Amino acid sequence: MDLSLIDWSRAQFALTAMFHWLFVPLTLGLGLIMAIYETIYVRTGDEKWKKLTKFWMKLFGVNFAIGVATGIILEFEFGTNWSNYSYFVGDIFGAPLAIEGILAFFLEATFIGVMYFGWEKFGKRFHLASTWLAVIGATLSAWWILVANAWMQYPAGMDFNPDTARNELTDFMAVAFSPVAINKIFHTVTSSWVLGAAFVVGICGWYLLKRRELEFSRRSIKVAAIVGIVGVLLAAHTGHGSAQKVAKHQPMKLAAMEGLYRGGSQADLVAIGVLRPDKQYDDEKDPFLFKIDVPFKGFLSWVSFGSADAFVPGINDIIEGGYPMHDGSTALSFDERVERGKTAQQALRDYRKAMKENDEASKIANKTLLDENMNHFGYGFLKDAKESIPPVEITFYSFHIMVLLGMYFIAFFAIIWFLNHKDMLSKMRWIQFIAVVSIPLAYITSEAGWVIAEVGRQPWTIQDVLPASYSVSNIPTASVKTTFFVFLAVFTALFIAEIKIMLRAIKNGPSYDENLIFIIKSIKQLQRYGLYIFAKLLVVSDIAPWSTARVSDVCSGWAIACLFRW
């Protein structure tokens, strides 16, 4: 397989996924916060909460629409760039994606139109229910996507069918509710609450710096800071659970996260460190130029397995094998796993040959041999131990940036809530500036988490079963290069358009609450960038002159949509 094709296919998928992830966490986090705002409005009847809710809904809408557009591209890439993967596990991977489209996406698409255009058409409680259902739909959508991703990290609930050379779903519940999936879902959703809260607090910080919208900002921060505190504490708890799942099912990823080449009992957790760039797994160089460990002996062992005396394997230990595993067995070496993987692959070939020759005895014998070694099937594709090691530097730095920023946000939201509660925040300009700067820091934290999840599991698309090098489509490398740069240009234009639309809405402030006019101008902004197909996601068709403020058809389906008579 052409290595440049593999690298470009990876790069294109990484580009699309990371760009898409700019929008998803804000949808989940801001959606929850604005639903809470509207709940307060319905319970109190205070129109200021309604005004506040409608302002944050504007920003939510633009973010949601572009997020949907970029997400659809991702699903197409499975078929265009990763067709071998799609064939090999499509029966399993397709199930959660189908449920996401049929159940979750239809739920959010149906009620988001009511949420935007039903303020004067429905009662308060029905509108509130629509808002919550739209937010729940978005969360369920993320749920099923994360189920699919978790299955790639921890394949369960399947059997390999040698007749078709495909994996088949045998236990849907094992896929949907695997411990890795449940933990990943809650960690991702709660971390999205953190980003949504940082977004709200940051924008309010900008208003306070400008001496604008003081009461609006105080009310917004009152809720957002609490959501941020709850979110970051839950994310820390689920992050601990994620570390334990990684230690159990993906030890090589954990070793890369810690830059750990030689493990042992009472392993220490690195707090801050600088890796040696030229370090190789088979040399004797110190992997660190500089590091400071957490001052608790065996902290990594405790985080990973709940005991300071537990053995945590490093990269070299995993390659060499022979260390005690969590279930009491002894780990196989890389060479042993390669040998078993080749045995499984040869058993598959012999089974297929016996099937053509109608040799039932040979079929049974080879099927048994295949089943015994299927857990190592993917290792039969690897040629060298170095191939089994993920990019250590990227994984290590992403993990530690995420953790350090997570600790920062615990302090940040606690301080913001206290100062706002004491009515001191409006007088402290340096805190207001920090609040604004915290918006990009929240995005860095969120993106770093996904880098750990995806880069840390390399070289596998499906852990231990199928490496990325055998998952790609056999298409011209030039085609992948071309579409990479096309996507890069389109995504950049989309991002610029979204930023300009949001900045205009923020600059206008909550007093500018004409949602329809805002959406119309947003459409024109997208069209100005030549992004007509994405403008359609915000489309309002057959609009009468603005002076009459009459809309005949408001289409809702993919993004901000629904049919209403104004």
Side-chain angles (χ1 to χ4, degrees), residues 414-539:
I415 293 170
I416 288 291
W417 179 86
F418 177 79
L419 295 176
N420 188 64
H421 180 69
K422 295 295 184 180
D423 202 17
M424 298 166 59
L425 186 58
S426 60
K427 306 178 184 67
M428 305 178 72
R429 293 181 65 80
W430 65 278
I431 286 287
Q432 297 161 12
F433 177 78
I434 289 175
V436 175
V437 173
S438 294
I439 296 178
L441 293 182
Y443 277 99
I444 292 171
T445 307
S446 183
E447 292 284 358
W450 270 109
V451 170
I452 298 163
E454 299 307 297
V455 175
R457 69 180 166 97
Q458 296 303 314
W460 307 107
T461 48
I462 309 167
Q463 185 70 36
D464 298 339
V465 176
L466 186 67
S469 56
Y470 285 82
S471 303
V472 295
S473 303
N474 187 19
I475 55 178
T477 304
S479 299
V480 183
K481 287 183 181 179
T482 301
T483 51
F484 173 88
F485 288 109
V486 169
F487 287 163
L488 178 62
V490 172
F491 290 163
T492 302
L494 265 177
F495 185 68
I496 293 172
E498 188 204 23
I499 294 298
K500 292 193 70 173
I501 292 168
M502 283 194 168
L503 289 178
R504 186 177 68 243
I506 294 166
K507 183 178 179 181
N508 288 334
S511 299
Y512 189 83
D513 61 0
E514 295 296 328
N515 281 328
L516 176 61
I517 295 176
F518 172 75
I519 292 171
I520 294 169
K521 289 186 176 181
S522 297
I523 295 168
K524 290 182 175 292
Q525 185 75 50
L526 288 170
Q527 290 175 333
R528 189 175 300 140
Y529 282 85
L531 302 169
Y532 184 75
I533 185 65
F534 298 103
K536 277 292 184 182
L537 295 173
L538 291 169
V539 74

